[in-house]
Amino acid sequence: MAQATGDVETEYAAQPGQGPAAARSRLHRVAALPVRCYLAAQRGARALVRGVHQRWRRSLQLRVVTTTLLISALVTAVLGFFLVQQVLTGLLDAKREAALNDHKAGLDTAVSMMQDGDHSADQDGRAEEITTQLSNHSGTTGFYEVVMLPDVGGLRGYSTVEKASVPQRLREEVGQSELGRQFVTYTEIVGDDARTPGIVVGARLSNTYELYYLFPLDHEQQMLDLVQNTVFFVGTVLILLLAVIAYVVTRQVVSPVRAAAGSAEQLASGDLSERMKVRGEDDLARLALSFNDMAGNLQEKIRELEELSQVQRQFASDVSHELRTPLTTIRMAGDLLYEDRDELEPHMGRSVELLQSQLERFEELLADLLEISRHDANAVTLSMESVDVRDAVMKAVGDAEQIAEKTGIKVVMRLPAEPCTAEFDARRINRILRNLIVNAIEHSEGKDVIVTAAGDRDAVAVAVRDFGVGLKEGEEHMCFDRFWRADPARARTTGGTGLGLSMAKEDAQLHGGWLQAWGMPGKGSQFRLSLPRREGQELRGSPLPLAPPEMAIGRARGFSPPLTERPAGVAGEV
């Protein structure tokens, strides 16, 4: 036996996938099956609940029909309940009254028979005779049972019901009352094969015997069941009809509203030719007419604005080109005067210097107007190349170095240690960075300006931070509007056209990037340029936060770090 067992074990272990480990794995999988089924059912239930909730929120018609259905069901249930209660009360009252009358008639007959009989005769025989005669009569209520207590002619006399059908409490009340006084109560009639609800009426017939009539309520129960079924059927049909009516009525209202919503969406997407269909002369028809009039007026106004904008763009372009010729002549004359300013009188030399500076500003304004005209005409082309963002930052800082030295401001660069390349138009990105740095110097109120660059797998970013007057709430968006200035009355050190930030944002958007601003009054501001690493790539995030890290720390801890505090990673200073 041991040898046979060893052979079986060896063969079992030699077969792949049949060992104890495989068996335990199968057992684990089988044991985990209910858990997986439960989790799958739970996910399905959650998806169903989410779908129903979403459908409920989006469909006005579903909410109206469901609410009508629920309210109708509630009202029908309440009315049906009171109707059934009224019918039940009426049936029981009528049955009770008839039962008392039948019992009273039988009681009178039994008393008369007792008085007419021979007093010397056997009382049990007389009781049997009375029971027999009363059982052979039917009253206004139809079938009923007669019980004479104490028993006559055996355990139950001539009745087919058990003595337990008469409640003990009723027997006690009857036994303690005067002759002929009736008592009535509800009971359960116990027969040979069934138990049925009923009414029992009793009274003392003599000093020895008590007469009880038992009336079954099976007929009333059938009538009550019929009424209940009828109420349920009629209520269900009524609820469904109300739901259908609500669906039809709400559809007449919701369908035009849906059509209006679809037309509004088409209009919002730019299809200004979209119009609603007008049917009839009701309120919805007037809504459609008003919508169509609004769409027509909006289309006309937009067309007028487009024409006016086109005229304005053409005018700016024409003026910019036409002013170049006289500006060139004035520039040549101004250069000659500026070269000989030392030979002129002091006040004349000062005028020549002012003339030269204003000519330079005039040239900048014309160049900005021409660039804006190209943007408006969608005639801007990009010369994309792979550039290290660190080189772009250092070039922009170098271009603004003269302005920084003149104002005594230090520009601190925080650049990554490793190359951080991206594909962009170097000339336009350099113009954006130079504009941001010059603006930061101009608004820094004599404090340092920090330029930070960073990159990740998908994007590069440059943030320019100043500690000057900052931006008020809402100005972080307004600052990119054309010709907008935070404080037009403030003295400016370098002039400016008011178009720099507007053009910078449009150049950033041409690259598929972002140009965003953050600022707080008295805390300075920060402008962040974010660009995708590759041309045509969608920008999903930025390697640098929009708000300065020290402001986030200050808000969390309740203080603001000093301006002299510098985090690690400073690549250089200019």
Side-chain angles (χ1 to χ4, degrees), residues 48 53 65 67 79 101 137 170 220 255 320 430 467 469 479 498 548:
L48 179 62
H53 183 257
V65 173
T67 304
L79 294 179
N101 293 333
H137 292 78
L170 178 65
E220 285 72 15
S255 295
S320 300
N430 179 262
F467 300 90
V469 294
C479 63

Side-chain angles (χ1 to χ4, degrees), residues 489-543:
R490 187 173 57 84
R492 300 178 61 86
T493 60
T494 59
T497 63
L499 298 173
L501 289 179
S502 176
M503 288 191 302
K505 185 169 185 178
E506 293 183 6
D507 283 335
Q509 291 173 348
L510 284 175
H511 287 80
W514 305 334
L515 181 58
Q516 299 162 295
W518 170 92
M520 290 181 62
K523 301 294 184 181
S525 59
Q526 177 167 292
F527 287 78
R528 183 186 67 180
L529 173 65
S530 306
L531 300 171
R533 278 190 176 270
R534 288 175 295 276
E535 181 181 2
Q537 181 182 3
E538 183 180 359
L539 186 61
R540 299 182 180 274
S542 179

Side-chain angles (χ1 to χ4, degrees), residues 404-417:
E405 291 178 350
K406 187 182 298 184
T407 56
I409 294 174
K410 182 170 63 174
V411 180
V412 180
M413 292 186 295
R414 296 174 179 173
L415 306 179

